């Protein structure tokens, strides 16, 4: 990847600004046979908890006109199996790994951070304080500045990894949450997670998903995500990674121009697992034509 694509995020610099979003790319090893996963800017792995989780009852996904709903419920193999079985393979493949973690208590977020701190080959820790798909906890940390600040500072105390905190569009005031996590020591803000939606199966006269509601992702989310990022950029000085509905170069340019230092690509991976590499090449050509570097366009749509 060319130098013009470098994406500085404080202590961490990504080779290119396209990271695959948590929950939409498994643990990345699943794609290694047909995508050069080492060339990705990074992969935020499926949210990892202390214990393995089976996830929610099916059906867990539903298609919508401009994206999808999911209520996976954070099914994952748990930190022990991830560190023992998956990390060696990810190191071998040379993947830039962002460890996305999920817990329902501050103590468990702290325990996860402590255990990841010693693991070789983790580029950053991403706290998912914004998952709408579990009954107990998760999102409640992400909807109030006070709770988000508390969990961030507790984790900050025990980790030396670059700390990313993922915000929820369901926060009453996302700027307040962003300011709180910055003040509590986050290095990077990632935004946004999904927002709850519902699809009704009219034949059964019941909600389609087993959990009734699911997190909405894909193209429908993009204008909301860009607006929120544009606003948060004005209120914090740490870098922001933007996401929500990115499926083309122009989509990603909107996020960069609103102020994103890098982006994550989620739902679009289902249709095209190599999309992030294609977008990185397209961005490279777009920047070269204009004799620009990525850092020259970040936030240029701001007043
Ligand atoms: C099936 C699915 C599973 C997801 N699981 C997680 C997760 O485990 N942790 C997390 O932080 N976000 C999770 N997300 C949210 C995505 O990382 C991302 O924030 C969201 O989908 C918006 O981006 P997109 O519109 O490009 O998909 C999940 C999304 C989908 C579609």
């Amino acid at each position: 990847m060319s130098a013009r694509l470098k994406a500085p995020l404080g202590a961490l610099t990504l080779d290119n600004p396209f990271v695959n979003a948590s929950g939409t790319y498994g643990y990345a090893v699943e794609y290694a046979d047909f995508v050069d996963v080492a060339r990705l800017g990074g992969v935020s792995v499926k949210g990892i908890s202390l214990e393995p989780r089976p996830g929610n009852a099916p059906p867990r996904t539903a298609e919508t006109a401009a994206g999808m709903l999911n209520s996976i419920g954070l099914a994952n193999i748990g930190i022990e199996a991830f560190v023992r079985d998956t990390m060696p393979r990810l190191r071998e493949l040379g993947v830039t790994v962002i460890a996305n973690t999920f817990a329902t208590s501050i103590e468990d977020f702290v325990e996860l951070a402590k255990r990841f701190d010693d693991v070789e080959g983790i580029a950053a820790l991403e706290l998912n304080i914004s998952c709408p798909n579990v009954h107990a906890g998760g999102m409640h940390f992400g909807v109030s500045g006070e709770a988000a600040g508390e969990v961030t500072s507790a984790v900050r105390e025990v980790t030396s990894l670059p700390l990313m905190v993922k915000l929820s569009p369901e926060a009453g005031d996302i700027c307040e949450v962003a300011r709180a996590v910055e003040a509590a020591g986050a290095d990077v803000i990632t935004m946004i997670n999904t927002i709850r939606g519902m699809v009704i199966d009219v034949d059964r006269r019941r909600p389609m998903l087993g959990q009734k509601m699911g997190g909405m992702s894909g193209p429908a989310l993009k204008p909301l995500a860009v607006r929120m990022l544009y606003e948060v950029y004005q209120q914090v000085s740490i870098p922001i990674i933007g996401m929500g509905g990115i499926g083309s170069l122009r989509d990603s340019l909107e996020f960069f121009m609103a102020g994103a230092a890098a982006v994550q690509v989620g739902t679009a991976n289902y249709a095209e697992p190599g999309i992030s590499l294609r977008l990185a090449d397209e961005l490279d050509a777009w920047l070269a034509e204009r004799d620009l570097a990525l850092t020259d366009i970040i936030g240029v749509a701001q007043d």
Side-chain angles (χ1 to χ4, degrees), residues 21-23 46-47 70 74 100 128 166 192 217-218 243 245 266-267 270:
S22 178
K46 175 64 189 168
N70 88 83
L74 293 156
N100 181 288
N128 175 8
K166 186 163 176 180
I192 52 180
S217 63
M243 80 195 89
T267 302
Y270 292 117

Side-chain angles (χ1 to χ4, degrees), residues 21-24 44-48 61 68 70 72 74 100 126-128 130-131 166 192-194 215-219 221 243-246 264-268 270:
S22 178
T24 64
S44 176
V45 294
K46 175 64 189 168
I48 293 165
T61 57
M68 64 182 280
N70 88 83
I72 305 297
L74 293 156
N100 181 288
E126 182 180 51
L127 305 185
N128 175 8
S130 46
C131 181
K166 186 163 176 180
I192 52 180
N193 210 317
T194 55
M216 195 174 90
S217 63
L221 216 52
M243 80 195 89
I246 293 175
Q264 294 190 15
V265 177
T267 302
Y270 292 117

